[in-house]
Amino acid sequence: MKFLLQGAQRSLLRGFGRRYLATSTEQYAKRNYANNLSEYNTVFTSLTAKRRHYLLRDAYDDMVLDGVQPSRDTFHSLIAGTMKGSRLQDAFYFRDEMKTMGLLPDVVLYNFLISTCGKSKNSDQAIKILDEMKNSGVKPNGQTYICLLNACAAAGRLDPVYAIVRDMTSAGVGLNKFCYAGLIAAHKNKTPIAEDVATKIIELVEQSKGWSSVEASTGENAENVMMNVSEEELYNLPTADYVHKRRGFLRKELTVYHVAFHAFTELKNVQAMEVLVEMLKSEKKDPDVFILLQIMRCYLLSGDLDRALQVFNDYMNSMKPSFIELYTVLIEGAMVGHTPRGMQIALDKLEEMTQRSFFLFPKIANDLLLLAAGDKKGGYTTANYIWDLTQARKMPLSFPAVEAYYNGLKGRCVPEDDPRWLLVSSTYERLRPRSGAGTGPARQQAQNIKTDTKERTAF
């Protein structure tokens, strides 16, 4: 009864809303996906691995309703999951639940909370978390200050960022590559954008070349490693989703360059980006795939499709390992504006990608279908090809993508008995009532979770 009361009224109402009290033991066992702490911990880990962070709170409510008492490890898993999903309110909810049960957060959990604030661009709350740490007698470590630095950087707050840097240097702590990454992000995110932002970022890249001497001072925490939280993810770097890619995609010694290239891409500053390329050449370092993606994106966002295509072709002709991200970035960028040449290049690369047995992830396929379906004047060949790919792979489709494709076909006066039109129409009608609906309770969503399956990271 104690844990039912702790679950609060929301949890009880949710629970009674999705369970039936008059249920046989056999029926209940079929619906129930976890029965003890170990099984619930496995569910939380699996939900996070499958990027279903929005279900963590529902699953936690189920655990409380079952009378299963969460442990400190349970809250570590839950708060790490909410950090990965940028769900700030859920993270604070689990922190409060933890305190209610007499479990005080440790430095690792506080670091996760500060990082979540950074992902949500809520730097004020991140600073309050640091004050809470100190008032609770929890001593911040090096990662704490770097998390806070990057949280303030995400909001473009230069003054707090440089104040943290001064505190670190006055305490005799050297700046490592993640500190310089935060400084670059702070300049990029500051509004209004300063006229000398490119010069500042290039200067920081130059200054960062001495970071290796203090690399060991803030190495990855053993618990973070066990929970599959990389430093790139903890500090909200743009490379966070790619740290587990196979060799050749991301070279960690180029972290500062990664953030700088990403900044110039977002700023659409081709000239500054090319300065970085020359800096790499002068150091006799080759760009990794992540940097090549930023170079391609920078050219594409600036409307220079030819140079982006040249970067793509040069890499493909180098006999180095191929990555699907190279295709998807070029295809997406080529379709912007729906020019005849761009749509043809996109179609050619889609066909080439398929021939090489590269298959789109569902999220990317939906994004590309949504973009291709916006072509108002072309022959719709590219959109049709992407639709056919989704059907061949039986991919789940989002309503916005299907709606855009449906409207595109409708505007082209397709015969009513056309097989494609009939399939698209039926899919549209099937998905329309569910558009905007919730994902359903955790007990239904998590029932078929396979804990040994890890979802690949979509670009």
Side-chain angles (χ1 to χ4, degrees):
M1 178 62 75
K2 174 183 177 183
F3 302 109
L4 291 177
L5 294 176
Q6 290 171 346
Q9 184 179 8
R10 182 186 64 80
S11 300
L12 278 173
L13 291 175
R14 277 181 167 183
F16 285 118
R18 64 173 170 262
R19 296 192 185 192
Y20 300 93
L21 298 179
T23 304
S24 68
T25 303
E26 183 179 353
Q27 290 175 330
Y28 178 80
K30 287 182 179 180
R31 284 204 312 269
N32 210 31
Y33 58 86
N35 297 293
N36 53 50
L37 180 60
S38 177
E39 291 180 0
Y40 269 110
N41 284 342
T42 300
V43 169
F44 297 144
T45 301
S46 186
L47 287 173
T48 298
K50 292 176 178 293
R51 296 175 178 266
R52 296 179 179 178
H53 316 101
Y54 52 87
L55 291 175
L56 288 171
R57 191 162 168 178
D58 283 336
Y60 173 80
D61 289 343
D62 283 340
M63 181 179 69
V64 173
L65 196 60
D66 278 340
V68 178
Q69 182 175 8
S71 65
R72 180 176 292 276
D73 289 341
T74 302
F75 285 110
H76 274 235
S77 179
L78 288 167
I79 293 178
T82 56
M83 180 197 72
K84 288 172 178 284
S86 304
R87 300 185 67 84
L88 185 59
Q89 293 304 316
D90 286 351
F92 287 154
Y93 172 78
F94 291 132
R95 177 203 59 183
D96 294 340
E97 287 285 292
M98 188 178 185
K99 289 182 175 181
T100 301
M101 297 182 185
L103 299 172
L104 296 179
D106 55 17
V107 65
V108 173
L109 283 183
Y110 276 122
N111 290 348
F112 288 166
L113 289 171
I114 293 174
S115 177
T116 309
C117 292
K119 289 177 183 290
S120 305
K121 293 182 172 55
N122 193 335
S123 56
D124 289 334
Q125 193 64 55
I127 294 172
K128 290 180 181 178
I129 293 294
L130 179 64
D131 293 336
E132 180 184 321
M133 283 183 71
K134 295 176 178 178
N135 294 334
S136 301
V138 179
K139 184 179 180 180
N141 59 17
Q143 287 191 339
T144 306
Y145 288 105
I146 301 177
C147 283
L148 184 62
L149 187 155
N150 280 279
C152 292
R157 298 180 61 185
L158 279 175
D159 290 341
V161 166
Y162 276 102
I164 295 168
V165 169
R166 286 193 297 270
D167 289 344
M168 293 179 68
T169 53
S170 63
V173 179
L175 303 183
N176 66 8
K177 59 183 179 180
F178 299 113
C179 298
Y180 284 104
L183 287 167
I184 291 171
H187 282 283
K188 188 262 290 185
N189 294 325
K190 185 180 183 299
T191 53
I193 298 172
E195 293 182 1
D196 62 344
V197 61
T199 302
K200 292 287 187 183
I201 290 175
I202 291 172
E203 288 176 355
L204 287 168
V205 175
E206 288 285 359
Q207 294 170 15
S208 71
K209 295 177 183 179
W211 67 263
S212 58
S213 61
V214 294
E215 173 71 4
S217 63
T218 56
E220 286 191 291
N221 182 284
E223 186 168 356
N224 292 351
V225 174
M226 291 178 62
M227 299 184 71
N228 201 30
V229 177
S230 66
E231 287 188 291
E232 287 79 4
E233 190 161 29
L234 187 65
Y235 304 139
N236 303 320
L237 301 192
T239 53
D241 288 336
Y242 310 104
V243 291
H244 301 299
K245 283 282 186 181
R246 57 193 170 100
R247 189 174 180 180
F249 192 97
L250 197 71
R251 291 166 52 195
K252 291 193 174 185
E253 66 270 20
L254 297 177
T255 293
V256 178
Y257 276 104
H258 293 150
V259 179
F261 272 104
H262 181 266
F264 288 144
T265 297
E266 295 297 309
L267 296 171
K268 301 179 183 179
N269 193 329
V270 172
Q271 184 178 0
M273 179 272 292
E274 291 177 339
V275 171
L276 288 181
V277 173
E278 293 303 316
M279 289 173 64
L280 271 178
K281 289 180 179 178
S282 67
E283 297 176 35
K284 298 182 180 179
K285 294 178 180 178
D286 293 327
D288 57 20
V289 175
F290 179 85
I291 290 176
L292 290 177
L293 291 176
Q294 304 314 307
I295 294 173
M296 290 170 58
R297 288 183 62 231
C298 192
Y299 284 135
L300 289 166
L301 289 172
S302 303
D304 196 338
L305 176 57
D306 290 329
R307 298 185 76 177
L309 183 60
Q310 185 62 49
V311 172
F312 175 88
N313 290 333
D314 288 345
Y315 181 84
M316 288 301 177
N317 293 332
S318 69
M319 305 304 291
K320 294 179 181 178
S322 300
F323 294 89
I324 191 173
E325 289 82 1
L326 291 163
Y327 281 99
T328 55
V329 164
L330 181 61
I331 292 167
E332 184 175 9
M335 287 195 292
V336 173
H338 304 104
T339 64
R341 181 168 179 265
M343 297 303 290
Q344 185 59 50
I345 289 175
L347 179 60
D348 292 343
K349 295 308 173 185
L350 281 165
E351 292 174 343
E352 180 182 320
M353 183 186 70
T354 305
Q355 291 171 359
R356 299 188 64 171
S357 298
F358 282 119
F359 301 109
L360 295 171
F361 298 119
K363 180 183 182 303
I364 299 300
N366 278 278
D367 291 344
L368 293 180
L369 179 60
L370 182 62
L371 181 58
D375 186 5
K376 304 298 183 183
K377 299 179 180 179
Y380 230 46
T381 309
T382 306
N384 290 340
Y385 189 84
I386 296 172
W387 170 266
D388 293 341
L389 286 178
T390 65
Q391 296 306 298
R393 303 286 297 177
K394 293 182 170 55
M395 294 181 186
L397 292 168
S398 68
F399 179 71
V402 173
E403 182 181 35
Y405 186 57
Y406 170 86
N407 289 332
L409 289 177
K410 188 176 181 180
R412 284 169 166 76
C413 301
V414 179
E416 293 186 0
D417 59 348
D418 181 84
R420 181 187 299 276
W421 171 251
L422 292 174
L423 177 59
V424 174
S425 299
S426 63
T427 305
Y428 172 79
E429 294 298 331
R430 176 171 55 84
L431 292 178
R432 183 168 57 171
R434 289 163 33 189
S435 177
T439 55
R443 189 162 298 278
Q444 296 173 6
Q445 292 286 320
Q447 195 166 11
N448 295 322
I449 285 176
K450 303 299 182 182
T451 57
D452 58 342
T453 301
K454 294 183 178 179
E455 185 177 81
R456 296 177 64 187
T457 302
F459 181 74

